Amino acid sequence: MNVKFLGMGAAALIAASFCTPSAYAQAPESSDPIKIALFDWTSVNLNAKIMGGVLEKLGYTVEYPTADYLSSLTTGLTNGDLTLAMEYWQTTAGEAMVASDATGQTENLGPLGPQAKEEWWYPAYMKEKCPGLPNWEALKDPKCAEAFSTPETAPNGRYLGGPVTWEGFDDERVVSLGLPFTVIHAGTDAAMFAELDSAYQRQAPIMLWIYSPHWAPAKYKGEWVEFPPYTKECYEDPAWGSNTSAAYDCGKPTGEIYKYAWKGMKDKWPIAYKVAKNYKIDTDVLNALSGQVDLDGKSPEDVAAGWIAENEATWKAWAE
């Protein structure tokens, strides 16, 4: 291009465009694939696909290995088999995060944005059958428990917990609080919410693990059970709480949702690392995107691509 016939201002602008470094010119720093973990619930996989799609726009190669939620923190990310994971809930992964931090081989990249809440939840139509709710002590009444029972658990109530990989200590909670309930673990996240939808449509009894951020608390009218508030001592010291011989006699913790990376990401892919560190998403946005997948039947890839196309200015700023 010959710039001598252009005005001084135009020539300066063109020269600056060639001389000013940009994230897009610098990336990718390595052609090796960045491996972003997929887990067994919708929102985390949406965040993974959005993050991966943005990195692909910047020229990176991205892979999406399926991983175990908790062990990925202490094995996959520590040894570099995984590069990045987008959601570790302080509510359920707190202990694994402490163990991961202690290795010195991972890095907490900060909060994703939404606050995590996970607890026992029931539809509003069940309250007339157990009028003491949401107080957890209502569940100790055999009549209340029977109202939540199914043929496989009667006379005990049935509590549908998350997949066993999520932990959550529901089996221990039932014992320590003396609840006449049987814990049944869902095989998958999708199966758990399919069962909720079926029960809700039939006004059938159901008590299950509901978490937020998620579209379910907005779609279905109901309440979380109010257990004794969580404290660290409740989980670690049996002498704490109403049952002085057992731990977990309280509700689940609330807290942040964190992003984690393999420690080597910062040096190997510094622009991608910057994007991951700056990545944030709003609770309502994440709930709506999850609903597009679980309720509208869209693929996570299509939903992620739609968000990326509509929010170019946002994700470009993450790389600056």
Side-chain angles (χ1 to χ4, degrees):
M1 179 183 293
N2 189 342
V3 300
K4 68 180 181 179
F5 299 111
L6 299 175
M8 292 292 290
L13 280 173
I14 293 172
S17 71
F18 283 107
C19 298
T20 302
S22 71
Y24 311 105
Q26 297 173 37
E29 307 86 355
S30 170
S31 61
D32 289 346
I34 294 174
K35 299 179 181 180
I36 306 176
L38 299 181
F39 297 137
D40 53 356
W41 67 95
T42 301
S43 66
V44 67
N45 294 338
L46 273 171
N47 281 308
K49 294 293 185 176
I50 292 172
M51 180 69 194
V54 168
L55 294 183
E56 288 173 342
K57 292 283 188 184
L58 296 177
Y60 293 98
T61 300
V62 180
E63 294 180 358
Y64 302 96
T66 298
D68 179 79
Y69 174 44
L70 296 179
S71 65
S72 61
L73 263 172
T74 52
T75 55
L77 286 170
T78 58
N79 61 26
D81 287 344
L82 298 172
T83 312
L84 182 65
M86 299 302 293
E87 290 187 26
Y88 287 110
W89 294 44
Q90 194 175 24
T91 49
T92 50
E95 293 179 4
M97 285 191 287
V98 170
S100 183
D101 294 342
T103 69
Q105 299 303 311
T106 62
E107 181 179 351
N108 185 326
L109 299 184
L112 178 70
Q115 290 288 304
K117 179 177 177 64
E118 306 178 70
E119 197 53 271
W120 292 34
W121 184 98
Y122 58 91
Y125 60 76
M126 290 300 298
K127 197 166 184 177
E128 64 182 44
K129 299 178 181 180
C130 186
L133 288 171
N135 188 314
W136 71 274
E137 292 184 295
L139 301 178
K140 298 173 74 172
D141 184 337
K143 292 182 179 179
C144 178
E146 191 169 3
F148 283 99
S149 69
T150 62
E152 65 180 324
T153 67
N156 279 1
R158 180 179 184 268
Y159 170 75
L160 181 62
V164 292
T165 56
W166 297 6
E167 292 194 358
F169 306 107
D170 287 313
D171 298 87
E172 294 87 347
R173 185 168 292 107
V174 164
V175 173
S176 62
L177 290 175
L179 302 180
F181 274 72
T182 299
V183 177
I184 305 294
H185 289 280
T188 65
D189 176 72
M192 185 167 69
F193 288 103
E195 186 166 334
L196 168 61
D197 189 69
S198 175
Y200 199 91
Q201 300 306 322
R202 296 178 288 111
Q203 300 282 283
I206 189 166
M207 175 79 75
L208 77 162
W209 183 340
I210 291 279
Y211 57 88
S212 176
H214 195 272
W215 50 263
K219 179 179 180 182
Y220 305 109
K221 185 178 180 181
E223 295 178 320
W224 277 288
V225 174
E226 295 176 357
F227 288 105
Y230 165 83
T231 71
K232 184 179 180 181
E233 293 75 17
C234 170
Y235 275 31
E236 297 179 355
D237 181 7
W240 184 97
S242 59
N243 186 338
T244 57
S245 61
Y248 307 108
D249 48 347
C250 63
K252 300 177 190 288
T254 58
E256 297 282 359
I257 301 173
Y258 290 105
K259 305 161 291 179
Y260 262 77
W262 168 56
K263 186 179 180 180
M265 182 184 186
K266 184 176 184 178
D267 294 328
K268 188 169 184 176
W269 301 282
I271 301 300
Y273 166 85
K274 183 184 293 186
V275 173
K277 199 167 179 65
N278 289 333
Y279 185 107
K280 297 277 188 180
I281 194 163
D282 180 78
T283 302
D284 291 340
V285 171
L286 187 56
N287 288 350
L289 295 177
S290 297
Q292 289 182 40
V293 175
D294 290 343
L295 301 178
D296 301 337
K298 297 181 180 179
S299 71
E301 292 78 10
D302 287 347
V303 174
W307 186 95
I308 292 168
E310 294 170 5
N311 294 274
E312 186 173 355
T314 297
W315 59 259
K316 282 186 173 180
W318 292 340
E320 293 176 354

